[in-house]
Amino acid sequence: MFSASQSSKAQFLDKARQAREERRELKERERAAVQIQALIRRFLCRCRLQREIRREVEDFFGANESGSCKRSALSIFRIARKLLFVFNHKEDKEGFEKLCRCILNSMDVENEPKVWYVSLALSKDLTLLWIKQIKDILWFCCEFLKQLKPDILQDSRLVNLHLTMLITFTDTSTWKILRGKGETLRPAMNHICANIMGHLNQKGFYSVLQILLTNGLARSRPSLSKGSLTAIFSLALRPVVAAQFSDNLLRSFLIHIMSVPAIMTHLATLTPERLAVIESHDLFRKFILFLSHEAQCRDVCVCLEGSHTLCLLGNLVYLGSLNDKVLEEETAHFVGVLIHMLSYCQKYVSQKKSNLTHWHPVLGWFSQTVDYGLNESMPLLTKQLQHLWGVHMIRILFSDVLSKKLLENQEIAQLPTQPVSPQNSLPMKNLFKRAFQKSASVRNILKPVGGKRVDSAEVQKVCSICVLYQTTLTTLTQIRLQILTGLTYLDDLLPKLWAFICELGPQGGLKLFLECLNNDTEESKRLLAMLMLFCDCSRHLITILDDIEVYEEQISFKLEELVTISSFLNSFVFKMIWDGIVENARGETLELFHSVHGWLMVLYERDCRRRFAPEDHWLRKDLKPSVLFQELDKDKKRAQLLLQYIPHVIPHKNRVLLFRNMVTKEKEKLGLVETSSASPHVTHITIRRSRMLEDGYEQLRQLSQNAMKGVIRVKFVNDLGVDEAGIDQDGVFKEFLEEIIKKVFDPALNLFKTTSGDERLYPSPTSYIHENYLQLFEFVGKMLGKAVYEGIVVDVPFASFFLSQLLGHHHSVFYSSVDELPSLDSEFYKNLTSIKRYDGDISDLGLTLSYDEDVMGQLVCHELVPGGKTIPVTNENKISYIHLMAHFRMHTQIKSQTAALISGFRSIIKPEWIRMFSAPELQRLISGDNAEIDLEDLKKHTVYYGGFHGSHRVIIWLWDILANDFSPEERAMFLKFVTSCSRPPLLGFAYLKPPFSIRCVEVSDDQDTGDTLGSVLRGFFTIRKKEPGGRLPTSSTCFNLLKLPNYSKKSILREKLRYAISMNTGFELS
C-alpha cells in the first residue's frame, strides 16, 4: 500500500516537471520567433532604406548629369553622407564614381563659393563632419586604386579619377576659395590637408601607391600615363615634404616608392620634371645619409627582402648617375650604403639549386622568396645597375686612382752627348730624336715600391670602392661578365690600380698582402678585396684581348708589367700554398686564392703559347725538388696542392721525373714489374706486316685497361705468312708501336689532318667516312697513351689547340678559342680578327652566323647557332660570331673524334698526371726534347757490340763527325735514323729504352747472323775480310741500334753516314 502511494507521487512530480519544461521551451520559441522577426524586419528595413538611399543618390546624380542646375556643396555633402552610410564596394562602385566626379566638378566652378565642396570646411557646424567625410572618401579612392589594373582602358580612366581626388584634397594649391581675400585662410586649410594626409598615411597610403606603381610599371612597357605617374609621384612626395623629410617618412618612401622596379628610369622617360623636383629637394643626398646608418639600412633591407632591395639599389644607382655633385661629395656614404645592401642580398645568394632556392634573373639561385611578377622589369633594372660599372661612375668613384699620372720614362734626356764627326751628326741627331720621342710615350714599368700608409683616407676610400665592386661581382652572379667588361673598359684603370697597389705598405705589394692573409682584421679584408678585384678584372681583360692587342698594341699593360705582375702572383700563390694557408682556407680566403690563381694561370698559359716572360721566370729558386718529392712521398697536403695548382714552379725535367715515378709506382701496384718472386702477365699478339694497323686494332682494342698497361709481346708474320725470327724484349713492340703511330697519323689515311703552315696534326673533320671511326680514335688514344706510359718518344707533332684539349684546358671558363685559332689556321685567324677591327658597318659584308665548307666536293652550310644562316652578322654580334666560328672550327667539328681519342688516352694516362704540363711540355713528353742533342750524354750511355769499344778508331771518328762535321739538323736526322725520333728523350739518353748501341758488322743485313767470336775479334783488332767501302751504315730502330761497317777511312764513314741518314735507309739499303 505504502509503495503504491510513493509511486503515484513520483509520477505526479515527473508530470509537473515535464509541464514546466514544455512551458519554458514554448517561451524560448516565442522569444526566438520575436528575435528572428526583429532581425528580418530590421534587415528588410535596412534593405528598404538602402534602396531608398541608393534611389535618392541615383536621382541626385541623374539630375546632376542633366545639368539642370548646379548642386550646392551642402547638397553634395548630404548625399555623400547618405552614400557613405550604405556604402558597399561592389554595389556602389558606380555611385561612388559619380560622387567623385560631382565633387571635382564643384571644385572647378568659378566664383560660386557655395558650390565649392571645400567651402564646407569653413562652416563651424560642419567642419569636423566634412573632414571625416573627405577622409573616408579619399580612403575609399585608395581602396579602389589597389584593385584597378592600369593596363585596362576603363580602369585607367578610374585611376585618373581617384588620383585627381587625392591630388585635389591633399594640397590647397588648386582651391579657388583661397584666392584673393581667402589667402588668409591658407594656413588653416594647409593644416586640414596635413591632417587628411596623416590619416591616409596611418591607413597605409604608401602601400596603395606601391601596388599601383608596381601594377603599372613592373612590365616591359609601362601602362601608366605621364599624367598618372606624375600624380602618383607628387602624392608620394607630399607627406615627406610636409614632414620636413623626417626619418619615418623617408623610410616609408624608400620602402614603398623607391623599391618599385626602375621607377627612376620611368620618371626620366615619361615625366623628367619629377626628377628635377627630386634634385631641388636634394632627395638623393637625404636617401644616402638616411641609409648610411647601418641599423636603418638593415631595417629597410629586411622589410623589402632580396628582390625589392635590388630594385631600390637600381634606383639609387640611377639617381647617383644623374647627381655628380652629390656623388662626389658623398662618395663614402654612397659606397657604404651599396655595400650594405649588396651584402644583405649576398647572404641569400646560393651556388646551386635546392628545395630552398628560387631562380632570380640577376642574382641566380636565391634562398629567399622571389617575386616573379618583377621578371618583366629585370632588363630595365639591369640597365639601371649598369650605371654602377659605367665609365661615368667609375671615373667619379676611382677619381683618386685615375687622377694619378703614370710616370713617363725621360731617362733618354739625361744621356751624355757623344762628340760626333760632322758627316754623321745628322743621322745621329735624328736617331736620338726618334729614341726620345719613343721613350717619352712609354711609361716606367710599374714595380712594387711601397711608401703609402694603408690607414690613410685615400687608401681606405679606394679599398671601400674595391669592396663595393667585389661584392657586386659575387652578388649579381648572372651579370658578372657584364660587370667585368664595364670595369675593364677604361684602358688606364687597371694599370693605375696596379700602380696604387705597388705603392702600398713600407716595401710595397707582396709582403703587405701576405701579412693581410694572417690578420683577420677588417682593414686586411678590404686590402685583399682590392687585390681580388684587380685580379678578376685583369684576368677578364687578358682573356678577351687577342694576341695583337696583348703583344703588339699592349693595351692596358705593357709586356714588362705583365712580367712584374706574374712574378708577384707566382710568389703570392706559392706562399699561400707552401705556408699552409690554402689547406685550411674557407670563404673569402679561398675565393681570393682562386681569383689570384686564375689570373696567374691565364698569364702562364698565354706565355706558354707565346712567350713574354724571360727564361726560368716561373720557377721558384727557393723550392728544392728533393724536398717536394720527399713531402709528396709522405702525402703532405701542401706538396699535393702545389702540384695541383702551380706545377710550373718546379723545373720541367723534375716534373717529367715525377711523372715517370708515378708510372713506375702504378706498374708496381698493378704487378707489371719483374721481381724475384713474380713475373708480370704477358699478352702475346701476332701481327701481319701487310695488315699491321688492322691486326693491331683487332687484337688490342679488346684488351682490358690493365692488360694494355702491361707487357705486350709482338710476333711479326711476313708477307709469305712465315713468322719472323727474333725475341721481343720491348724492341719489337717499340717497332710495332712506332709503325702503328706512323700509319694512323699519316694524313693520307684521313684520320688526321695537318694545319696550314707548320703542318701539325689534329683530328680530321671528315674522318667519319671510316667505318667505326670513333673506335679507331679511341684505339689511337690508347696507342699514344701506351707510348707515353712506356717512355717511347714518337715523332708526332700535334697542333697546339689539340694539345690543350688533350689536357682539358678547353673546359676552363677562361679558355678562349680565338687565342688558339692561329695554331689551326693563321690565315683564317687574320681574317676573323680583321672583322673584329672593321670600322664600318659589318652587315655590309653579308655574313651570317654560319660557316660554308667544301666537304669532298659538296658545299655544306654549318649553322653556328640554331637558325644561324638567316641571322646576319652585325656590329653588335660580331664578337660572338668570331668566338662561335673559332669554337666551331676547333671543337664542334671534331668534338666526337677528340672525345674518343681523349677517352683512349686517359684509359692509360691518368688526367692528373699530365695536368702538371703545359701544351708545349706535353708535346715534349710525347715527342722528346726539342733542345740541341747532347752528344756527350749520348756517348756516355752508348753500348758497343761486335768488337767496337769507346776507344776504337771508327767510334772516335763517328763522334768527331757528329760533333764537328754535322750540322744540328744532320745530328737530328742521325738520331731519327737510329731511334725513329729526331728528338732526344726528355730526361736524357739514360732514359732511352732500349739503350743506344753501335755494332760492328761485316756483311749485309740479310746475311747477318749476329756476333761470333771471329767477328768480334776482327772488329776489335780492325781486321777486315774485305773493304766495306761500298756498304752503308744501317739501323734497327726497334732496338735503337746502329750497324756500322768497319770503315778504313774517316772520309768514307762521313760520306756513307751522311748518305744513309739523308736517304733514311734503315733496313732497306746496305
Side-chain angles (χ1 to χ4, degrees), residues 456-742:
S456 65
E458 181 192 9
V459 173
Q460 291 302 308
K461 179 184 173 185
V462 174
C463 283
S464 294
I465 294 162
C466 290
V467 169
L468 166 63
Y469 283 111
Q470 196 55 43
T471 312
T472 307
L473 284 169
T474 51
T475 306
L476 313 181
T477 58
Q478 299 311 296
I479 52 174
R480 180 181 171 87
L481 289 180
Q482 280 187 37
I483 301 166
L484 288 169
T485 303
L487 289 168
T488 55
Y489 187 82
L490 285 176
D491 287 344
D492 58 341
L493 175 62
L494 292 174
K496 287 181 176 178
L497 188 58
W498 172 245
F500 191 83
I501 288 170
C502 287
E503 293 175 359
L504 296 176
Q507 285 86 28
L510 185 64
K511 190 173 181 184
L512 171 71
F513 288 107
L514 287 171
E515 286 173 0
C516 288
L517 285 172
N518 298 314
N519 297 334
D520 196 24
T521 62
E522 199 58 39
E523 187 181 84
S524 296
K525 287 179 182 176
R526 288 152 68 87
L527 283 166
L528 291 172
M530 182 196 298
L531 177 63
M532 196 168 165
L533 182 74
F534 170 74
C535 290
D536 285 343
C537 293
S538 303
R539 176 180 59 193
H540 179 74
L541 176 68
I542 294 296
T543 303
I544 60 177
L545 293 180
D546 58 41
D547 281 0
I548 295 170
E549 291 164 328
V550 173
Y551 291 92
E552 293 164 30
E553 297 174 4
Q554 298 190 26
I555 290 175
S556 282
F557 293 109
K558 305 300 174 191
L559 289 179
E560 295 87 345
E561 283 163 7
L562 292 181
V563 173
T564 307
I565 291 167
S566 59
S567 177
F568 166 84
L569 298 173
N570 210 32
S571 299
F572 189 78
V573 173
F574 174 74
K575 291 283 187 185
M576 279 192 81
I577 294 172
W578 206 243
D579 293 350
I581 295 168
V582 178
E583 287 178 45
N584 309 307
R586 297 283 183 278
E588 291 173 355
T589 308
L590 196 59
E591 285 176 18
L592 170 71
F593 173 75
H594 288 309
S595 179
V596 179
H597 175 258
W599 174 211
L600 171 67
M601 294 315 292
V602 165
L603 287 174
Y604 174 68
E605 283 163 21
R606 178 80 74 161
D607 183 62
C608 289
R609 198 167 57 248
R610 182 174 168 183
R611 291 202 74 87
F612 63 80
E615 202 71 35
D616 297 342
H617 170 74
W618 302 98
L619 301 180
R620 290 292 303 182
K621 303 292 190 294
D622 53 344
L623 176 66
K624 292 182 179 178
S626 57
V627 174
L628 178 70
F629 292 171
Q630 285 170 13
E631 295 210 0
L632 283 170
D633 288 338
K634 294 174 184 174
D635 289 332
K636 289 285 184 73
K637 187 70 176 173
R638 69 174 187 175
Q640 292 170 344
L641 289 170
L642 193 78
L643 207 58
Q644 179 185 345
Y645 287 109
I646 48 169
H648 58 255
V649 301
I650 310 161
H652 178 240
K653 289 207 170 180
N654 292 104
R655 275 179 282 144
V656 176
L657 197 59
L658 190 60
F659 170 76
R660 299 269 29 119
N661 288 344
M662 288 173 174
V663 172
T664 305
K665 281 182 181 176
E666 188 184 77
K667 282 185 174 183
E668 290 170 355
K669 188 178 176 183
L670 297 174
L672 304 177
V673 179
E674 186 93 37
T675 63
S676 55
S677 58
S679 295
H681 172 73
V682 177
T683 302
H684 293 275
I685 59 172
T686 302
I687 303 294
R688 291 170 290 179
R689 279 202 181 269
S690 57
R691 292 181 59 80
M692 193 178 290
L693 178 57
E694 293 85 346
D695 288 356
Y697 170 68
E698 284 301 326
Q699 294 187 54
L700 292 178
R701 74 187 184 93
Q702 302 295 345
L703 289 184
S704 68
Q705 187 173 313
N706 286 353
M708 274 297 295
K709 291 180 178 181
V711 179
I712 300 173
R713 296 279 182 242
V714 178
K715 180 173 279 296
F716 281 121
V717 176
N718 64 20
D719 294 344
L720 300 174
V722 178
D723 289 356
E724 293 184 3
I727 300 168
D728 182 4
Q729 290 295 334
D730 296 333
V732 180
F733 177 73
K734 176 176 179 283
E735 182 192 351
F736 162 72
L737 193 61
E738 287 167 350
E739 288 298 320
I740 284 276
I741 284 174
K742 191 189 295 182

Side-chain angles (χ1 to χ4, degrees), residues 123-295:
S123 167
K124 287 183 180 179
D125 298 332
L126 298 175
T127 301
L128 293 176
L129 292 172
W130 179 85
I131 290 173
K132 183 182 184 313
Q133 188 180 87
I134 195 64
K135 282 179 180 178
D136 291 341
I137 290 171
L138 293 181
W139 181 246
F140 285 137
C141 285
C142 291
E143 294 277 0
F144 279 115
L145 283 172
K146 279 200 283 189
Q147 300 165 8
L148 295 171
K149 305 292 181 190
D151 51 331
I152 301 171
L153 181 62
Q154 189 178 353
D155 279 13
S156 70
R157 289 173 182 163
L158 291 174
V159 166
N160 288 336
L161 173 66
H162 296 311
L163 285 174
T164 308
M165 281 292 292
L166 288 163
I167 283 284
T168 304
F169 292 101
T170 54
D171 185 75
T172 60
S173 57
T174 59
W175 295 1
K176 291 175 177 151
I177 198 170
L178 299 180
R179 291 177 186 169
K181 292 180 180 178
E183 190 64 39
T184 55
L185 300 171
R186 192 173 293 278
M189 294 292 107
N190 283 341
H191 187 71
I192 288 173
C193 282
N195 188 314
I196 293 168
M197 201 80 248
H199 171 77
L200 292 176
N201 277 338
Q202 282 180 345
K203 298 274 280 184
F205 181 55
Y206 274 117
S207 296
V208 173
L209 296 182
Q210 182 182 17
I211 292 168
L212 183 60
L213 284 168
T214 304
N215 288 339
L217 300 180
R219 52 187 63 243
S220 51
R221 293 183 63 186
S223 57
L224 285 174
S225 65
K226 175 181 177 179
S228 298
L229 185 57
T230 305
I232 295 168
F233 202 75
S234 299
L235 284 169
L237 270 179
R238 279 178 183 176
V240 182
V241 175
Q244 296 182 332
F245 308 100
S246 69
D247 284 355
N248 200 23
L249 268 298
L250 279 175
R251 176 184 180 275
S252 295
F253 192 88
L254 285 165
I255 289 172
H256 297 290
I257 308 301
M258 289 298 288
S259 66
V260 173
I263 186 173
M264 292 297 121
T265 302
H266 291 300
L267 285 176
T269 308
L270 294 173
T271 170
E273 309 84 44
R274 293 301 96 195
L275 288 180
V277 172
I278 289 174
E279 193 173 343
S280 67
H281 289 303
D282 203 14
L283 267 180
F284 175 60
R285 190 194 304 270
K286 290 179 171 68
F287 291 154
I288 294 303
L289 292 175
F290 172 81
L291 291 169
S292 64
H293 296 96
E294 194 174 334

Side-chain angles (χ1 to χ4, degrees), residues 99-114:
L99 173 64
C100 291
R101 293 193 191 283
C102 185
I103 290 172
L104 290 173
N105 289 337
S106 78
M107 295 294 289
D108 288 336
V109 176
E110 295 288 341
N111 302 319
E112 293 194 42
K114 288 187 178 180

